[in-house]
Amino acid sequence: MPQLPVRTSLARRALTRMGLRIAAVIVLITLAAYWHFYHSLEESIDEGLRNYVQARADGESEHFLLAETQTRMLADEMVRRLKQAGDEDYSARFDALFAPGKDGVVRVRPEVSDYRHKATLFVRNDVPLTPDFKRRIVIGFDLLTAWGPLTTNRFLDSFMNMPEQMSLNYAPFVDWSLSATPKTNIYEYETVWRSSPQSNPLRKPFWTTVYFDDGARKWMVSHVTPADVDGRWVATAGQDIVIDDLVRRTANDHLAGTYNLIVRADGQLIAHPRLSREIQLAGGNLDVSHLHDAELEAIVHSALTVGDQADVVETPDEAFHLGVGRIRGPDWRLIVVYPSARIAAVARSNARYVLILGAISLVVELLILWSVLRKLVSEPLHELVEAEARVGDGNYDVLLSSTHRPDELGRLAHGFEMMARRVGERDRQLVQAANDLAREADTARINAARLAALSQILPDPVFVVAADSRVCEAFGNTSRLFEGQPIGHSIFHTMPPSVVDGGRMALDIAVQSGLAQRMVYDAELTEGVRWFEALILPLPGSDTEGPQVLWLVRDITALKLTESELRDARDHLQDIVAAQTADLRGARDRANDANRAKTQFVSNISHELRTPMHAILSFARIGLDKVDSSRPEKLKRYFENIIMSGERLLGMVNDLLDIAKLESGKMDYHLAPHRLGRIVDGVVSELEPLAARKLVVFERRIGDDDALDCDATRVAQVLRNLISNAIRFSPESGRIGVEVWQEGTMLVTTVENDGPPIAPEDLERIFEKFVQGSGLNPPGSSGLGLAICREIVEAHGGQISAANRENSGAVFRFTLPRRQPMLPGETPAGGRVTI
């Protein structure tokens, strides 16, 4: 009995030491559990954030990447059409489409204006309308009108600017040109001044900063691609992308407890759920340093350290986990801000339950030890140990046999069961939260898969092709070109063998030079011959993948058939219009006049032919009669008269032969490079003795650039006719002017004298065959010279005309093209060409 207190004290001290040890172990276990819960949860949340932000950034990028592709295609097509047009004159087409308004600004004519289905235009009133500028405007207008419905399918509008004060737009909801004034300066817009060679010497496409469009009442960003021809800036193609929905999604669509924001690569704030007004007041691009918000600056600076791949980083103070994804195109960063406190709170909550569980376990252990000392708790202790092991293994459905006991051990067992249930419920909640986060990540992946699936419904096939022609990825309807899966096969399996070499060359050029290529070819398919257009666009590739291109194949058979049908319909319509507008009565009158003129001509030419013939015969008879008695000088004069009359007769016969050749289409033209000034000098030198008899002088003015392709003999024949006529009708001591100058692609030649004017009724008829004007044809002429001149000039592709001078005399003017487009064997105006 005296030892009982000692034993009791020892038991209490042992129980206290054991309790302290157990308490220390429970504290360590709690700290370890807290560390384990925190880092496991942190890794799980980071992985979910990374997947979520990657999927969301990829989804937001599709819109911008499509705009980049479309502006590049617009710019390339503009350059292609300009090169194809060459120096073609578009002035008539320009005048038919556009006209200045009352304010002087050039816009689409009201009778053809249709902004819902066609492009609109404004050109400031002080811009010179050169032929080159008109050509670019008409080509750009046709391009935007044709491509506008496609390029604006998912965007607000498409536009095209040029270095001059000009803007083309395709916006089916408003006519932008109506807001332009004579004071409008398109260089105030970033889309224009950043396209200039001074601001953009590398001539690269670019994205503008965010701006608010007053006309559309929307926040926008624009993508612009400059278009150059032979190093000269000729146009700029662009598209406006509305970002209101993107900003709205950024503010409203977020994970629980998080918020989203978007920043530019230079740190400018684009979207923030609580700073919308500040961003709008800053013009859509807010510098976060102006807010003096250290927390926001830390978030932005930390997010900008992430590269192209989505990742999760912490702020320097570890207050936030940031999921950062790159929105390709404008190179913006989508940031999901996840407070670290949420992770710590969940971890603390779980650790608290572990601590509570440990504290209860400590009480249970102490009771068990106390019961052991009292020899009453051996089995309950064993049962609790087993229960604790099951809880440690995650089995929280604990049933203890001692719960029915009314003592402390029974209550402890009952409390242990309730604690296990609560811990189990909390564990299930934690698992459910993790599963919810995983489902959200799966949803993001599913959305990305849906975006990929949407690309499969494209009507035309699109391939990602490596430099060795191997198909890496395929989108759209590829079944028409490939049987089975195209991945891994050569893209040239889609092409007929005859064009494979051309396709290989286009692929090599696109890979090596980075320039887009285009091919048009036909192929024999099961449904017959089809026409295809292949567009090869370079794509940036990784170091491991190597260079790649985007290969788009479009079936243009319907377009080819439509073009053919339109050409046939146009030709048929022209024939109908020509037939319906023919004036039958005028034709009959002209036929009667021509018949009478031909009859009169035959009568006149018969008289003119008889006159030299009589002279030849008369002088020949006289010479024959007096050959023995006349002096040699007189016989020489007889022969000279015979020769002069023969030459007159030969000239009229040559004119008749020439007009017959022209009417029968047998006139030969031998085209070759010549200098028109030399031809003029030769004819003038030939006719100067004839002019000297009347004291007539020549004045010649020949331009420096007088080279042309022509038949020099026939052109000299024209000049000889005109100058000899001018000599005949010039008064004594008169003047004949011959001038040659360049006018566009033509050389203009004029021959004028100061003799009597041409009768007004003869001005319109003097170039017609078999028509002789009063006083125009002196004795000894056939009257066919001017008709032959017209046929020769028109056969060269030029025109000839006559007019009276103001005071006296007449002027004849004819034009000749400097370059002849005719090929050997073609027939201009009924003649044959030899080069």
Side-chain angles (χ1 to χ4, degrees):
M1 293 301 295
Q3 295 178 351
L4 183 59
V6 175
R7 290 173 181 167
T8 303
S9 176
L10 289 173
R12 288 177 179 173
R13 284 197 298 270
L15 183 62
T16 301
R17 287 194 297 270
M18 182 64 70
L20 291 175
R21 292 189 186 106
I22 293 174
V25 171
I26 290 175
V27 170
L28 291 175
I29 291 174
T30 302
L31 292 175
Y34 174 77
W35 182 88
H36 175 73
F37 278 131
Y38 184 88
H39 287 283
S40 297
L41 187 62
E42 183 180 44
E43 290 177 0
S44 176
I45 289 175
D46 284 353
E47 181 64 23
L49 272 178
R50 189 177 295 108
N51 295 333
Y52 173 78
V53 77
Q54 178 68 62
R56 187 156 179 179
D58 288 344
E60 300 293 358
S61 299
E62 294 296 328
H63 209 52
F64 298 105
L65 295 178
L66 178 60
E68 288 185 346
T69 299
Q70 293 189 165
T71 60
R72 190 182 305 113
M73 291 172 65
L74 275 172
D76 292 345
E77 180 64 12
M78 182 65 181
V79 171
R80 187 191 70 79
R81 294 191 180 191
L82 281 174
K83 290 182 177 179
Q84 187 179 41
D87 295 333
E88 185 177 349
D89 189 359
Y90 278 73
S91 298
R93 181 85 194 286
F94 180 90
D95 295 338
L97 289 173
F98 312 113
K102 294 181 179 179
D103 56 357
V105 176
V106 177
R107 298 182 177 89
V108 180
R109 288 182 177 273
E111 60 268 22
V112 297
S113 176
D114 182 5
Y115 68 86
R116 291 184 177 87
H117 304 95
K118 297 180 181 179
T120 61
L121 162 90
F122 84 83
V123 181
R124 209 167 69 181
N125 57 313
D126 57 352
V127 177
L129 297 175
T130 65
D132 172 68
F133 190 31
K134 290 181 179 180
R135 183 185 309 112
R136 283 185 283 133
I137 289 175
V138 172
I139 292 175
F141 178 82
D142 290 342
L143 177 58
L144 270 187
T145 299
W147 286 30
L150 298 177
T151 57
T152 59
N153 186 33
R154 294 176 59 186
F155 301 103
L156 185 70
D157 65 354
S158 295
F159 63 85
M160 189 173 292
N161 297 315
M162 295 182 186
E164 299 83 356
Q165 293 286 351
M166 189 287 300
S167 179
L168 284 164
N169 288 272
Y170 186 92
F173 62 92
V174 67
D175 186 350
W176 291 105
S177 67
L178 298 179
S179 61
T181 69
K183 296 182 179 180
T184 297
N185 182 9
I186 65 172
Y187 279 86
E188 295 177 354
Y189 302 109
E190 185 180 357
T191 55
V192 179
W193 63 262
R194 278 187 63 186
S195 299
S196 66
Q198 294 79 11
S199 302
N200 189 356
L202 299 180
R203 316 307 292 144
K204 291 185 176 181
F206 61 87
W207 286 91
T208 66
T209 56
V210 176
Y211 61 92
F212 186 76
D213 190 280
D214 294 328
R217 306 301 300 169
K218 295 180 183 297
W219 289 95
M220 297 182 181
V221 65
S222 299
H223 186 261
V224 177
T225 300
D228 293 2
V229 174
D230 297 332
R232 182 171 69 96
W233 178 30
V234 296
T236 296
Q239 288 203 268
D240 297 330
I241 296 88
V242 178
I243 64 168
D244 288 356
D245 289 341
L246 172 61
V247 173
R248 193 177 301 110
R249 286 195 301 274
T250 302
N252 298 333
D253 299 345
H254 56 84
L255 299 174
T258 68
Y259 67 91
N260 308 324
L261 61 142
I262 296 178
V263 297
R264 290 190 343 201
D266 60 357
Q268 298 286 318
L269 194 60
I270 302 297
H272 191 288
R274 297 186 300 275
L275 298 174
S276 300
R277 178 173 176 79
E278 288 80 356
I279 294 173
Q280 292 179 6
L281 292 176
N285 306 273
L286 177 61
D287 190 342
V288 295
S289 63
H290 295 166
L291 299 174
H292 305 292
D293 186 337
E295 179 181 282
L296 181 58
E297 289 186 29
I299 290 173
V300 172
H301 293 161
S302 299
L304 292 179
T305 62
V306 176
D308 292 342
Q309 298 298 321
D311 204 354
V312 177
V313 296
E314 286 187 273
T315 55
D317 58 1
E318 299 182 354
F320 299 99
H321 284 240
L322 308 177
V324 184
R326 175 173 173 257
I327 300 178
R328 290 172 293 166
D331 197 23
W332 295 345
R333 297 297 189 275
L334 173 65
I335 307 172
V336 179
V337 182
Y338 195 105
S340 300
R342 285 180 59 83
I343 304 175
V346 175
R348 283 197 303 271
S349 176
N350 285 279
R352 186 164 51 250
Y353 280 102
V354 173
L355 182 61
I356 294 172
L357 176 61
I360 295 174
S361 299
L362 176 61
V363 173
V364 172
E365 292 291 339
L366 290 175
L367 290 174
I368 291 173
L369 288 173
W370 182 261
S371 299
V372 168
L373 291 174
R374 294 174 61 189
K375 300 179 181 179
L376 297 176
V377 293
S378 178
E379 291 182 2
L381 178 60
H382 181 68
E383 187 180 31
L384 282 173
V385 170
E386 289 181 347
E388 183 183 14
R390 290 197 300 273
V391 170
D393 292 337
N395 183 6
Y396 302 103
D397 295 329
V398 177
L399 294 175
L400 300 176
S401 61
S402 57
T403 56
H404 63 282
R405 293 174 52 168
D407 55 14
E408 291 82 357
L409 188 57
R411 290 193 296 272
L412 176 61
H414 178 72
F416 189 85
E417 286 185 355
M418 297 300 295
M419 176 206 66
R421 292 190 185 97
R422 287 195 295 271
V423 171
E425 181 62 28
R426 187 59 184 171
D427 184 70
R428 283 190 291 272
Q429 291 178 1
L430 184 60
V431 171
Q432 181 65 35
N435 290 338
D436 291 342
L437 186 59
R439 277 194 298 272
E440 289 179 357
D442 290 339
T443 300
R445 285 192 293 271
I446 291 171
N447 289 336
R450 286 176 178 173
L451 290 175
L454 286 175
S455 69
Q456 299 300 319
I457 67 174
L458 293 172
D460 297 324
V462 182
F463 305 97
V464 177
V465 180
D468 60 358
S469 80
R470 177 174 44 84
V471 176
C472 302
E473 296 181 60
F475 307 94
N477 181 14
T478 62
S479 61
R480 296 183 63 196
L481 302 179
F482 276 105
E483 293 183 2
Q485 178 57 250
I487 305 302
H489 293 283
S490 172
I491 189 63
F492 299 131
H493 289 174
T494 66
M495 305 170 67
S498 59
V499 298
V500 167
D501 291 342
R504 196 180 306 278
M505 181 181 297
L507 176 60
D508 293 342
I509 292 174
V511 169
Q512 295 172 9
S513 67
L515 300 176
Q517 303 294 310
R518 176 179 179 269
M519 293 183 63
V520 176
Y521 59 90
D522 60 326
E524 182 72 32
L525 302 181
T526 55
E527 63 267 30
V529 176
R530 309 292 295 179
W531 281 90
F532 294 95
E533 177 188 49
L535 296 176
I536 302 102
L537 307 173
L539 285 178
S542 66
D543 294 338
T544 58
E545 294 176 348
Q548 295 179 335
V549 299
L550 190 65
W551 193 294
L552 297 89
V553 181
R554 188 163 62 108
D555 189 332
I556 61 171
T557 304
L559 181 60
K560 284 282 186 180
L561 293 176
T562 301
E563 289 178 352
S564 177
E565 291 173 357
L566 286 176
R567 284 194 298 270
D568 293 342
R570 180 197 61 195
D571 296 340
H572 181 61
L573 183 60
Q574 288 177 346
D575 293 340
I576 294 174
V577 171
Q580 289 180 346
T581 56
D583 188 347
L584 297 178
R585 179 175 297 174
R588 182 197 63 192
D589 294 339
R590 286 192 297 272
N592 291 337
D593 292 340
N595 198 23
R596 285 192 295 269
K598 197 166 187 178
T599 301
Q600 182 63 36
F601 169 81
V602 170
S603 176
N604 292 341
I605 200 65
S606 299
H607 174 75
E608 295 296 338
L609 288 171
R610 284 195 299 269
T611 300
M613 183 60 72
H614 284 312
I616 292 171
L617 294 174
S618 298
F619 284 111
R621 290 192 185 100
I622 294 172
L624 184 62
D625 294 338
K626 297 184 179 183
V627 68
D628 296 326
S629 60
S630 295
R631 294 189 302 275
E633 293 82 11
K634 184 174 289 188
L635 289 175
K636 181 181 180 181
R637 190 166 60 251
Y638 293 155
F639 282 112
E640 287 175 350
N641 290 331
I642 290 173
I643 291 172
M644 290 177 56
S645 299
E647 287 176 347
R648 284 178 55 193
L649 182 61
L650 180 61
M652 286 185 285
V653 171
N654 285 336
D655 285 347
L656 289 172
L657 291 174
D658 284 344
I659 205 69
K661 287 181 181 179
L662 290 170
E663 289 189 337
S664 63
K666 295 182 179 179
M667 178 70 78
D668 292 334
Y669 294 92
H670 303 279
L671 301 181
H674 292 284
R675 301 297 293 268
L676 186 55
R678 293 180 181 176
I679 299 174
V680 171
D681 291 338
V683 174
V684 171
S685 298
E686 176 185 344
L687 297 177
E688 272 183 339
L690 180 61
R693 298 174 187 173
K694 300 178 67 174
L695 302 179
V696 173
V697 296
F698 286 99
E699 294 181 0
R700 281 173 282 183
R701 293 185 294 276
I702 311 297
D704 294 333
D705 192 2
D706 61 342
L708 81 165
D709 299 335
C710 70
D711 185 330
T713 302
R714 296 301 177 185
V715 173
Q717 184 178 355
V718 173
L719 289 166
R720 191 176 297 108
N721 268 301
L722 297 180
I723 295 174
S724 61
N725 281 345
I727 294 173
R728 289 192 189 103
F729 294 100
S730 291
E732 294 289 333
S733 302
R735 181 194 65 84
I736 295 176
V738 182
E739 184 174 4
V740 177
W741 74 90
Q742 182 182 351
E743 191 173 278
T745 60
M746 309 293 283
L747 285 180
V748 182
T749 305
T750 60
V751 177
E752 61 180 24
N753 69 345
D754 49 8
I758 301 171
E761 64 270 19
D762 291 333
L763 280 174
E764 297 296 328
R765 308 189 312 134
I766 59 176
F767 294 101
E768 294 180 9
K769 296 185 290 289
F770 313 123
V771 175
Q772 295 177 305
S774 58
L776 289 178
N777 301 291
S781 68
S782 65
L784 295 175
L786 293 180
I788 294 172
C789 289
R790 183 182 68 177
E791 295 292 340
I792 293 173
V793 170
E794 290 180 351
H796 279 76
Q799 294 181 339
I800 188 168
S801 61
N804 288 322
R805 299 171 60 195
E806 274 190 27
N807 299 324
S808 64
V811 58
F812 285 81
R813 180 182 190 269
F814 67 91
T815 62
L816 295 173
R818 300 190 61 192
R819 294 291 177 264
Q820 290 290 342
M822 296 176 291
L823 300 175
E826 292 183 347
T827 304
R832 292 177 294 175
V833 176
T834 303
I835 298 179

